[in-house]
């Protein structure tokens, strides 16, 4: 098995060692730097970008001309309402922005037009590859369509698929300068930078550093404390983490829920990319994760679940028997909270309090390694009819420090602006009732600067997914040997990477 390798013809060659499974803009900025190091809109402008009102000549640029309605409609592809909700609540009014609203049934309102341009949200639920499939179809059909795509959202796992192609406009081409984006965390730029041209093709309004969320009742029972600093000592590195896992097992608890739970902690700390010189290489961090997953399964340190399945979610009940989960900031309100409460949180928040299941009974520490998970990047299609409006969106949501500070104060989300987050941490006024009043920003602030995604490749999403499936099958006994596990992984890559031939 030590000499086993697969040779890929064409654009990529692949070589894997069997030891992997041993155990199982321009200088004219229109923005000003504020006290937080962020940027605020220039007086009288409200955008921070080039305000030319010239429209793109769609007939020249992409085949069939846009319809008159499309020229006055900003069409945005997305998979949920997160970005739309933020836009509706925090997009700046006044200055050059003339907004009209639609009133919704629940009494809230949504933006209908910006400066006379209608907003058209095309939402495709992100099940499997449904969103990417629908988006790809729309982008491919632009030549012959009278209804044009203007903007689309993407996730980190497949960002380079779009950033490395010709379907996303350089952010600087929208008039947003390097100075405007100087406070963004570098990893968020690396994720969406074209590896061939060096152009930044997408930006995110949030940074998503990870943390370790733990059940305080289990912590008290096993460790004798639920204090975040003391719990951190029990999970400060992987050797200590594993020793604590044994203590949990001795008391009948699981350290983590499933096969995949620790994966991003390792994959985000690789020192080499998956693909180098047309060869796939296995970083020591990946081997360490595979070894750990097999060990944790064999010793009963996990519940043999998979991310997002019912058993995985059930462990987030306060009596679910699982000590901890690795999440980034979004995981607290969107995943842990609904899974841990007994009664769904009401719109008025009246039952968002201790006594409702595990509400307020989880806390956070930084865990064994710095990592990130998730995030959403905004891209603009190069042949958009509405480049000005798209640029306004991006500037307001990702560069305007005042708007970002308002969002932090209201939602306890970690925004992609070092100056804003530094001011927030120094103020020390953030208290998250979902975590028993803990300030998670104090835990996350140092972590965010340690994240390095400069080694990302466009193949990562596929490779990561197929690797996790192969390891799960091996741990469950679906594949009976290390060699079978490795071959299953290689064969799946040959099928999934359709631009590659495996001999």
């Amino acid at each position: 098995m030590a000499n086993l390798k697969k040779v890929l013809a064409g654009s990529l060659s692949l070589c894997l060692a069997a030891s992997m499974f041993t155990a199982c803009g321009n200088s004219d900025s229109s923005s000003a730097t504020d006290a937080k190091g962020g940027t605020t809109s220039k007086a009288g402008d409200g955008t921070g970008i080039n305000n030319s009102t010239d429209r793109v000549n769609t007939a020249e640029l992409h085949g069939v001309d846009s319809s008159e309605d499309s020229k006055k409609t900003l069409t945005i592809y997305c998979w949920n309402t997160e970005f739309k909700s933020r836009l509706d609540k925090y997009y700046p009014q006044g200055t050059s922005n003339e907004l009209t609203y639609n009133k919704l049934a629940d009494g809230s309102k949504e933006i209908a037009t910006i400066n006379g341009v209608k907003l058209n949200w095309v939402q495709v639920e992100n099940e499997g590859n449904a969103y990417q499939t629908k988006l790809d179809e729309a982008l491919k059909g632009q030549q012959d369509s009278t209804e044009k795509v203007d903007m689309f959202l993407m996730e980190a796992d497949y960002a380079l698929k779009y950033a490395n192609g010709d379907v996303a406009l350089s952010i600087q081409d929208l008039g947003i300068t390097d100075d405007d984006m100087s406070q963004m965390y570098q990893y968020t730029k690396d994720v969406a930078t074209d590896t061939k041209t060096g152009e930044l093709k997408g930006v995110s309004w949030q940074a998503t550093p990870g943390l370790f969320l733990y059940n305080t009742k289990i912590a008290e029972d096993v460790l004798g404390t639920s204090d975040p600093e003391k719990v951190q000592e029990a999970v400060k590195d992987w050797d200590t983490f594993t020793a604590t896992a044994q203590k949990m097992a001795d008391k009948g608890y699981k350290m983590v829920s499933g096969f995949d739970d620790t994966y991003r902690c390792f994959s985000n700390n690789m020192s080499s990319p998956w693909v180098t010189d047309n060869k796939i290489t296995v970083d020591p961090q990946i081997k360490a994760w595979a070894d750990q997953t097999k060990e944790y399964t064999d010793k009963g340190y996990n519940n043999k679940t998979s991310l997002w399945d019912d058993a995985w979610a059930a462990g987030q009940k306060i009596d679910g028997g699982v000590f901890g989960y690795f999440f980034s900031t979004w995981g607290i309100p969107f995943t842990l909270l609904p899974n841990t409460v007994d009664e769904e949180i009401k719109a008025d928040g009246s039952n968002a309090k201790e006594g409702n299941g595990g509400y307020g009974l989880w806390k956070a520490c930084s865990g064994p390694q710095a990592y990130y998970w998730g995030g959403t990047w905004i891209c603009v299609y190069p042949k958009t009819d509405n480049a000005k409006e798209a640029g306004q969106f991006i500037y307001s949501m990702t560069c305007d420090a005042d708007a970002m500070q308002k969002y932090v104060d209201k939602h306890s989300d970690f925004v992609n602006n070092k100056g804003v987050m530094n001011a927030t941490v120094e103020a020390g006024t953030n208290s998250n009732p979902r975590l028993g009043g803990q300030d998670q920003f104090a835990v996350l602030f140092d972590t965010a600067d340690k994240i390095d995604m400069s080694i990302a490749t466009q193949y990562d999403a596929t490779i990561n997914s197929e690797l996790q499936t192969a390891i799960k099958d091996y741990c469950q006994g679906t594949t009976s040997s290390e060699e079978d596990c490795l071959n299953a992984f290689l064969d799946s890559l040959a099928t999934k990477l359709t631009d590659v031939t495996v001999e």
Side-chain angles (χ1 to χ4, degrees):
M1 183 175 170
N3 294 322
L4 178 64
K5 66 180 180 179
K6 298 277 184 174
V7 180
L8 304 183
S11 64
L12 182 69
S13 63
L14 178 107
C15 179
L16 282 170
S19 60
M20 168 185 176
F21 301 107
T22 299
C24 291
N26 60 44
S27 60
D28 296 325
S29 174
S30 57
S31 60
T33 302
D34 70 3
K36 298 172 184 173
T39 55
T40 54
S41 302
K42 182 178 178 181
D45 174 37
T47 63
I49 67 169
N50 185 340
N51 283 306
S52 171
T53 57
D54 292 341
R55 294 289 183 183
V56 172
N57 186 330
T58 56
E60 286 184 9
L61 281 180
H62 47 259
V64 177
D65 193 11
S66 302
S67 68
E68 289 305 310
D69 187 59
S70 180
K71 293 176 183 178
K72 298 177 182 178
T73 301
L74 190 70
T75 294
I76 308 161
Y77 272 69
C78 57
W79 57 84
N80 62 21
T81 61
E82 181 184 5
F83 180 57
K84 177 180 181 297
S85 176
R86 180 174 180 181
L87 193 78
D88 288 338
K89 294 179 180 178
Y90 297 97
Y91 192 72
Q93 301 183 44
T95 61
S96 65
N97 294 317
E98 296 180 4
L99 309 181
T100 65
Y101 293 89
N102 293 323
K103 189 173 182 179
L104 303 178
D106 63 1
S108 62
K109 59 184 181 178
E110 64 179 8
I111 297 175
T113 67
I114 298 178
N115 301 329
V117 176
K118 295 183 296 184
L119 302 189
N120 174 34
W121 297 91
V122 181
Q123 183 177 331
V124 181
E125 294 300 324
N126 202 15
E127 293 293 334
N129 288 320
Y131 171 70
Q132 290 186 63
T133 299
K134 188 71 173 180
L135 175 61
D136 291 347
E137 290 174 355
L139 296 179
K140 186 177 180 180
Q142 288 296 284
Q143 284 280 4
D144 300 317
S145 176
T146 60
E147 309 306 311
K148 306 302 181 184
V149 175
D150 294 288
M151 300 172 62
F152 61 91
L153 304 183
M154 64 183 184
E155 294 182 294
D157 284 349
Y158 54 81
L160 286 178
K161 169 184 173 181
Y162 297 102
N164 281 350
D166 58 359
V167 297
L169 186 68
S170 168
I171 298 301
Q172 285 89 343
D173 285 347
L174 293 167
I176 298 174
T177 69
D178 289 339
D179 183 58
D180 292 331
M181 298 183 287
S182 64
Q183 290 298 303
M184 293 181 179
Y185 286 93
Q186 184 59 43
Y187 93 87
T188 69
K189 298 179 184 180
D190 293 338
V191 164
T193 295
D194 191 321
T195 58
K196 300 174 184 176
T197 67
E199 295 174 292
L200 182 62
K201 298 288 190 66
V203 287
S204 179
W205 65 85
Q206 60 188 163
T208 54
L211 36 68
F212 182 65
L213 290 166
Y214 61 89
N215 184 315
T216 56
K217 286 193 171 183
I218 296 177
E220 292 284 354
D221 185 27
V222 178
L223 303 177
T225 179
S226 59
D227 177 79
E229 291 187 4
K230 294 178 180 178
V231 172
Q232 173 60 22
E233 282 300 304
V235 296
K236 62 183 178 180
D237 54 50
W238 288 119
D239 287 341
T240 307
F241 192 91
T242 298
T244 299
Q246 181 60 58
K247 293 179 182 179
M248 293 293 162
D250 291 343
K251 286 251 185 170
Y253 301 114
K254 306 297 182 182
M255 187 68 178
V256 293
S257 182
F259 305 111
D260 320 303
D261 283 25
T262 66
Y263 181 71
R264 290 180 185 272
C265 300
F266 289 95
S267 65
N268 282 181
N269 284 282
M270 290 163 48
S271 58
S272 59
W274 271 111
V275 179
T276 305
D277 296 331
N278 291 332
K279 294 181 180 179
I280 289 182
T281 56
V282 180
D283 189 272
Q285 285 284 325
I286 297 302
K287 181 183 181 301
W289 170 76
D291 291 350
Q292 184 198 76
T293 301
K294 187 66 166 67
E295 177 188 5
Y296 278 29
T297 303
D298 291 347
K299 292 183 176 179
Y301 295 166
N302 66 38
N303 246 346
K304 299 182 180 180
T305 66
S306 296
L307 286 177
W308 315 120
D309 69 23
D310 291 343
W312 177 83
Q316 292 164 45
K317 292 291 187 183
I318 201 62
D319 59 354
V322 177
F323 177 52
Y325 287 79
F326 289 93
F327 276 122
S328 64
T329 48
W330 55 262
I332 300 172
F334 292 118
T335 306
L336 178 68
L337 178 62
N339 286 338
T340 198
V341 295
D342 292 335
E343 181 182 59
E344 183 179 354
I345 301 299
K346 297 177 181 177
D348 62 4
S350 59
N351 62 342
K353 57 186 179 181
E354 286 194 27
N356 184 0
Y359 189 96
L361 298 179
W362 291 78
K363 287 189 181 295
C365 60
S366 55
Q369 293 191 115
Y371 73 101
Y372 89 101
W373 186 4
T376 303
W377 279 255
I378 312 169
C379 300
V380 178
Y381 188 63
K383 298 166 185 177
T384 174
D385 294 313
N386 299 289
K388 175 188 173 183
E389 288 73 23
Q392 287 178 323
F393 264 37
I394 289 177
Y395 182 85
S396 297
M397 295 294 100
T398 68
C399 301
D400 189 317
D402 289 340
M404 299 179 94
Q405 185 67 66
K406 290 176 182 177
Y407 190 73
V408 170
D409 294 342
K410 180 68 175 178
H411 292 280
S412 294
D413 197 4
F414 200 102
V415 296
N416 191 16
N417 186 297
K418 295 180 182 180
V420 169
M421 293 315 304
N422 182 61
T424 301
V425 171
E426 287 189 348
T429 57
N430 183 265
S431 175
N432 192 338
R434 299 160 184 156
L435 299 180
Q438 184 183 9
D439 179 3
Q440 80 268 27
F441 293 145
V443 178
L444 292 169
F445 185 67
D446 290 336
T447 298
D449 250 345
K450 298 175 183 177
I451 300 168
D452 182 2
M453 289 304 295
S454 59
I455 62 172
T457 79
Q458 68 190 77
Y459 301 102
D460 290 359
T462 298
I463 296 171
N464 289 337
S465 177
E466 297 308 309
L467 173 63
Q468 290 175 54
T469 297
I471 293 295
K472 176 182 176 180
D473 287 346
Y474 179 49
C475 289
Q476 290 182 315
T478 305
T479 50
S480 58
S481 68
E482 297 169 2
E483 185 170 0
D484 287 344
C485 177
L486 176 59
N487 284 329
F489 175 52
L490 295 174
D491 290 342
S492 66
L493 290 187
T495 301
K496 298 291 184 178
L497 301 180
T498 56
D499 60 336
V500 172
T501 299
V502 179
E503 295 181 349

